Amino acid sequence: MSDDFDLLETNSNEKTGKVDVNWGKAIDTMKSKLAQEEDPQSRQKILNATLDDVVHMAEKDRTTLLDAIKDLTDYQDEVGIIFEKFSSLNADEQRVIDEAQKALERARIELEDARNKPDTWWNNLWGRKSRIKKEEQEFKEAEKVRAGADNKAKAMFQERIESADVQTLLSELSFKSQAAVSRLKNREVEIKEVEDKLQEAIVEATKNHTRALEKKKEVEGKLDENYALLRQARQELEEIVDKQSADYAQAVGKVTTLEQKIEELEGLKNAYTTLAASKDSFVHKHNLTIKVLTSLRSNLQTHRAKLKSDTEERLKYYDGYVVALKARTDQEFAAILEHLGVKTDEHIGETLASMHTASAKARQEMMENIPVHEKVMQGVYSSYAEALQEIRAKDSDIQKNFAERYGIDMKEIFEDYYKADATKPSGTPEPSKPTPKPENSGDELLS
C-alpha cells in the first residue's frame, strides 16, 4: 500500500470559499423516496425474471434516481449550497452563468471607471455625472441578470434530467458525491480553525483567570491593611472628647477616606472575583465546544472517507450496471433480429415453395392446353384452305369466261396487273402480264 494513502487527510492550505448554511427543514427534505420502498416480492422477481422485466426495473431505477436528484437539488437551495458548484452542468447551462458573470464584471469595471474620473467642472460638463448614473443602472441590471442566471441554469438542468437516461442520472449522482467530498473536507478545515481559535481562547481565558485571582488576592491584602487602619482611625476618633475640635474633624475625615478606600477595594475584589469566575466558566464552555466540534469533525472525516472511497468504487459499479443495461438491450436486439430472420426465412421459403408449385401447375396447364390449341389451329387452317379453294375456283371461272368472250388469256393480265406499280399516275395502262400464282400454296401452309 502506498505511504501517502490517507483518506482522512485535512490540509487547511487546500481550503476553498465557505458556504453559508441556512438549515431550515433541510434534514427532513432529504428523507427521500429511496428509503420508502421495501418490496417483499423481490426474491420472486429475481427468480422469475425475464428480459422484459428488466426493462421495467431499469425504468424504476431511473425514476427513483430522478426523484433523488430533484430532492438533492432542492436540498442545495435550502442549505445554501451554490447550485453550479454542486451539479454537473452541460455547456449550455454553464454558459448562462458564465456570460451573466462576465457581463456583471464588465458593468462593475465600467462603473468604477466612470466614478474614478475626476469630479471637475470640465468632466461634469462633458457628462461625467450622467455617465455614472447610466453605468449604475446598467450595473443593477447586470446584477439582476446574474442573480437570475442560477435559476435559469437550474431550470435548464431540471428540464434536461427529466428525460435523462440512467447513465446520465448516475453521472449526476456521482458528481454530487464528489462535490460533497470536497465540501465535507472544507467543513472539516473550518471546524479545525475554530477549534484552534478556541484553544487559544482557553489559554487566554486561563491566563486572565489566573491574573484575576492574583489581582483579587492583591486587593484582599490591601483590604486587610485598610481595615486595620480603619479600626485604628475609628479608635482614635472615639478617644477624642471634644467633638467640635479640629482634631475631631480631621479624624472624621480620615475615617471617611479609609471607608471610601475600602469600598473601592471591595468593588475591585468583587470585579476580580466575577472576572475569575467568568473566565473559569468560559474555559469550561470552550472545552465543551471543542469536544463537540472535534466529535463532529471526526464524524465528517468518517463520512468523507467513506463517501470518497465508495464513490470511486461506485463509479465502477455504475459502469458495470450501465454496461449490463446496454448488454440487455443488445441481447434483446439480437433476439429481435433472430426472430425477424426466422420469419424472413419462413416467408422466403413459402414464396419459393409457392413459386415452384405455381410453376409446375402452369406447366401442367400449358401441357393440358396444347391439344386444345392444336384443335383450334386445325380449324383455322381448314377454313383458310377452304376459302383459298373457293377463290381459286372463282378465279378459274373468270379467266375462262374472259378467254371465251375476248380471246384473252386473263391469267396473264391478272398477273401483269398484280405486278403493276401503284405509284405511277393513272393513264393508259400498259399491258402487263400477270404473275403466275404458285400452285398448291394452301397445301404448303397445311403441311
Tab-separated table of all heavy atoms in Angstrom, residues 10 12 15-21 183-197 293 297 300:
chain	number	residue	atom	x	y	z
A	10	THR	N	-6.581	16.211	6.138
A	10	THR	CA	-7.227	17.515	6.125
A	10	THR	C	-6.152	18.576	6.092
A	10	THR	O	-5.440	18.761	7.080
A	10	THR	CB	-8.119	17.711	7.364
A	10	THR	OG1	-9.084	16.660	7.393
A	10	THR	CG2	-8.831	19.055	7.304
A	12	SER	N	-5.400	22.529	5.585
A	12	SER	CA	-6.040	23.838	5.555
A	12	SER	C	-5.601	24.660	4.362
A	12	SER	O	-6.271	25.599	3.945
A	12	SER	CB	-5.744	24.604	6.850
A	12	SER	OG	-4.359	24.794	6.987
A	15	LYS	N	-8.101	24.752	1.412
A	15	LYS	CA	-9.474	25.180	1.684
A	15	LYS	C	-9.956	26.167	0.646
A	15	LYS	O	-9.236	27.061	0.236
A	15	LYS	CB	-9.559	25.812	3.076
A	15	LYS	CG	-10.975	26.139	3.514
A	15	LYS	CD	-10.986	26.534	4.963
A	15	LYS	CE	-10.478	27.949	5.157
A	15	LYS	NZ	-11.462	28.946	4.738
A	16	THR	N	-11.194	26.002	0.228
A	16	THR	CA	-11.808	26.941	-0.704
A	16	THR	C	-12.819	27.797	0.045
A	16	THR	O	-12.905	27.754	1.267
A	16	THR	CB	-12.514	26.175	-1.839
A	16	THR	OG1	-13.502	25.315	-1.267
A	16	THR	CG2	-11.518	25.346	-2.620
A	17	GLY	N	-13.590	28.591	-0.692
A	17	GLY	CA	-14.528	29.506	-0.066
A	17	GLY	C	-15.598	28.794	0.741
A	17	GLY	O	-16.073	27.734	0.381
A	18	LYS	N	-15.985	29.413	1.847
A	18	LYS	CA	-17.009	28.825	2.701
A	18	LYS	C	-18.380	29.080	2.111
A	18	LYS	O	-18.594	30.015	1.350
A	18	LYS	CB	-16.925	29.423	4.107
A	18	LYS	CG	-15.600	29.160	4.809
A	18	LYS	CD	-15.574	29.849	6.150
A	18	LYS	CE	-14.221	29.668	6.836
A	18	LYS	NZ	-14.156	30.392	8.102
A	19	VAL	N	-19.338	28.240	2.501
A	19	VAL	CA	-20.720	28.407	2.061
A	19	VAL	C	-21.582	28.596	3.297
A	19	VAL	O	-21.558	27.776	4.210
A	19	VAL	CB	-21.208	27.161	1.270
A	19	VAL	CG1	-22.657	27.348	0.872
A	19	VAL	CG2	-20.336	26.945	0.055
A	20	ASP	N	-22.307	29.694	3.334
A	20	ASP	CA	-23.199	29.926	4.461
A	20	ASP	C	-24.382	28.980	4.378
A	20	ASP	O	-24.955	28.775	3.306
A	20	ASP	CB	-23.700	31.377	4.453
A	20	ASP	CG	-22.566	32.354	4.717
A	20	ASP	OD1	-21.634	31.960	5.430
A	20	ASP	OD2	-22.634	33.492	4.208
A	21	VAL	N	-24.761	28.425	5.504
A	21	VAL	CA	-25.809	27.404	5.538
A	21	VAL	C	-27.011	27.930	6.293
A	21	VAL	O	-26.890	28.477	7.373
A	21	VAL	CB	-25.296	26.109	6.203
A	21	VAL	CG1	-26.424	25.108	6.320
A	21	VAL	CG2	-24.150	25.535	5.406
A	183	ARG	N	-16.772	19.413	-0.158
A	183	ARG	CA	-17.495	20.259	0.801
A	183	ARG	C	-17.250	19.785	2.229
A	183	ARG	O	-17.022	20.597	3.136
A	183	ARG	CB	-18.984	20.234	0.470
A	183	ARG	CG	-19.836	21.038	1.438
A	183	ARG	CD	-21.297	21.006	1.011
A	183	ARG	NE	-22.142	21.583	2.044
A	183	ARG	CZ	-22.341	22.878	2.195
A	183	ARG	NH1	-21.725	23.722	1.403
A	183	ARG	NH2	-23.139	23.329	3.146
A	184	LEU	N	-17.280	18.487	2.460
A	184	LEU	CA	-17.024	17.952	3.802
A	184	LEU	C	-15.608	18.287	4.259
A	184	LEU	O	-15.384	18.635	5.427
A	184	LEU	CB	-17.240	16.436	3.805
A	184	LEU	CG	-18.693	15.953	3.640
A	184	LEU	CD1	-18.724	14.448	3.545
A	184	LEU	CD2	-19.544	16.430	4.798
A	185	LYS	N	-14.667	18.176	3.338
A	185	LYS	CA	-13.284	18.493	3.691
A	185	LYS	C	-13.146	19.966	4.069
A	185	LYS	O	-12.467	20.311	5.047
A	185	LYS	CB	-12.360	18.152	2.529
A	185	LYS	CG	-10.884	18.248	2.877
A	185	LYS	CD	-10.029	17.691	1.755
A	185	LYS	CE	-8.559	17.700	2.161
A	185	LYS	NZ	-7.689	17.127	1.123
A	186	ASN	N	-13.801	20.835	3.299
A	186	ASN	CA	-13.764	22.266	3.625
A	186	ASN	C	-14.395	22.539	4.983
A	186	ASN	O	-13.902	23.379	5.750
A	186	ASN	CB	-14.507	23.064	2.542
A	186	ASN	CG	-13.809	23.005	1.205
A	186	ASN	OD1	-12.615	22.714	1.140
A	186	ASN	ND2	-14.539	23.261	0.138
A	187	ARG	N	-15.463	21.816	5.296
A	187	ARG	CA	-16.107	21.996	6.599
A	187	ARG	C	-15.199	21.511	7.725
A	187	ARG	O	-15.139	22.131	8.797
A	187	ARG	CB	-17.438	21.246	6.629
A	187	ARG	CG	-18.290	21.557	7.835
A	187	ARG	CD	-18.742	22.993	7.832
A	187	ARG	NE	-19.713	23.222	6.781
A	187	ARG	CZ	-20.038	24.421	6.325
A	187	ARG	NH1	-19.441	25.498	6.811
A	187	ARG	NH2	-20.933	24.563	5.360
A	188	GLU	N	-14.489	20.430	7.491
A	188	GLU	CA	-13.523	19.962	8.497
A	188	GLU	C	-12.460	21.022	8.761
A	188	GLU	O	-12.083	21.269	9.915
A	188	GLU	CB	-12.858	18.670	8.015
A	188	GLU	CG	-13.784	17.466	7.954
A	188	GLU	CD	-13.100	16.293	7.276
A	188	GLU	OE1	-11.912	16.071	7.543
A	188	GLU	OE2	-13.745	15.618	6.450
A	189	VAL	N	-11.964	21.620	7.696
A	189	VAL	CA	-10.943	22.666	7.837
A	189	VAL	C	-11.502	23.838	8.634
A	189	VAL	O	-10.841	24.385	9.519
A	189	VAL	CB	-10.464	23.135	6.450
A	189	VAL	CG1	-9.560	24.347	6.559
A	189	VAL	CG2	-9.733	22.006	5.732
A	190	GLU	N	-12.748	24.207	8.315
A	190	GLU	CA	-13.374	25.321	9.035
A	190	GLU	C	-13.516	24.995	10.526
A	190	GLU	O	-13.226	25.840	11.389
A	190	GLU	CB	-14.744	25.601	8.415
A	190	GLU	CG	-15.466	26.780	9.030
A	190	GLU	CD	-16.831	27.009	8.413
A	190	GLU	OE1	-17.222	26.215	7.535
A	190	GLU	OE2	-17.503	27.976	8.812
A	191	ILE	N	-13.951	23.761	10.837
A	191	ILE	CA	-14.093	23.360	12.243
A	191	ILE	C	-12.741	23.364	12.935
A	191	ILE	O	-12.605	23.825	14.083
A	191	ILE	CB	-14.745	21.968	12.325
A	191	ILE	CG1	-16.210	22.050	11.873
A	191	ILE	CG2	-14.673	21.416	13.749
A	191	ILE	CD1	-16.904	20.702	11.821
A	192	LYS	N	-11.719	22.865	12.242
A	192	LYS	CA	-10.374	22.825	12.838
A	192	LYS	C	-9.874	24.232	13.148
A	192	LYS	O	-9.256	24.468	14.198
A	192	LYS	CB	-9.409	22.132	11.865
A	192	LYS	CG	-8.027	21.860	12.457
A	192	LYS	CD	-8.125	20.865	13.593
A	192	LYS	CE	-6.756	20.425	14.074
A	192	LYS	NZ	-5.966	21.518	14.654
A	193	GLU	N	-10.163	25.185	12.267
A	193	GLU	CA	-9.757	26.565	12.517
A	193	GLU	C	-10.455	27.113	13.761
A	193	GLU	O	-9.836	27.801	14.580
A	193	GLU	CB	-10.076	27.431	11.298
A	193	GLU	CG	-9.183	27.142	10.098
A	193	GLU	CD	-9.565	27.988	8.903
A	193	GLU	OE1	-10.628	28.641	8.950
A	193	GLU	OE2	-8.800	27.998	7.923
A	194	VAL	N	-11.758	26.801	13.898
A	194	VAL	CA	-12.493	27.253	15.088
A	194	VAL	C	-11.939	26.578	16.334
A	194	VAL	O	-11.800	27.215	17.392
A	194	VAL	CB	-14.000	26.962	14.922
A	194	VAL	CG1	-14.759	27.297	16.202
A	194	VAL	CG2	-14.563	27.752	13.755
A	195	GLU	N	-11.602	25.301	16.238
A	195	GLU	CA	-11.002	24.596	17.373
A	195	GLU	C	-9.710	25.273	17.808
A	195	GLU	O	-9.464	25.467	19.015
A	195	GLU	CB	-10.724	23.139	16.995
A	195	GLU	CG	-11.969	22.274	16.888
A	195	GLU	CD	-11.619	20.863	16.473
A	195	GLU	OE1	-10.429	20.497	16.494
A	195	GLU	OE2	-12.527	20.108	16.108
A	196	ASP	N	-8.874	25.618	16.840
A	196	ASP	CA	-7.606	26.287	17.159
A	196	ASP	C	-7.850	27.621	17.853
A	196	ASP	O	-7.155	27.976	18.817
A	196	ASP	CB	-6.789	26.492	15.891
A	196	ASP	CG	-6.331	25.172	15.285
A	196	ASP	OD1	-6.324	24.163	16.019
A	196	ASP	OD2	-6.002	25.144	14.075
A	197	LYS	N	-8.853	28.371	17.353
A	197	LYS	CA	-9.171	29.653	17.982
A	197	LYS	C	-9.680	29.448	19.409
A	197	LYS	O	-9.349	30.226	20.318
A	197	LYS	CB	-10.212	30.397	17.148
A	197	LYS	CG	-9.696	30.897	15.812
A	197	LYS	CD	-10.799	31.582	15.023
A	197	LYS	CE	-10.282	32.052	13.669
A	197	LYS	NZ	-11.357	32.686	12.855
A	293	LEU	N	-17.081	19.987	18.669
A	293	LEU	CA	-16.561	20.231	17.324
A	293	LEU	C	-15.629	19.109	16.880
A	293	LEU	O	-15.646	18.690	15.721
A	293	LEU	CB	-15.830	21.574	17.278
A	293	LEU	CG	-16.716	22.821	17.372
A	293	LEU	CD1	-15.861	24.078	17.365
A	293	LEU	CD2	-17.711	22.870	16.219
A	297	ARG	N	-16.159	16.904	13.701
A	297	ARG	CA	-15.111	16.822	12.687
A	297	ARG	C	-14.712	15.376	12.443
A	297	ARG	O	-14.459	14.956	11.305
A	297	ARG	CB	-13.904	17.645	13.117
A	297	ARG	CG	-12.771	17.665	12.098
A	297	ARG	CD	-11.809	18.803	12.393
A	297	ARG	NE	-11.259	18.731	13.726
A	297	ARG	CZ	-10.176	18.016	14.071
A	297	ARG	NH1	-9.544	17.294	13.145
A	297	ARG	NH2	-9.744	18.013	15.309
A	300	LEU	N	-17.397	13.878	10.366
A	300	LEU	CA	-17.269	14.347	8.993
A	300	LEU	C	-16.137	13.617	8.275
A	300	LEU	O	-16.256	13.266	7.104
A	300	LEU	CB	-17.013	15.859	8.975
A	300	LEU	CG	-18.213	16.757	9.275
A	300	LEU	CD1	-17.772	18.215	9.300
A	300	LEU	CD2	-19.306	16.569	8.238
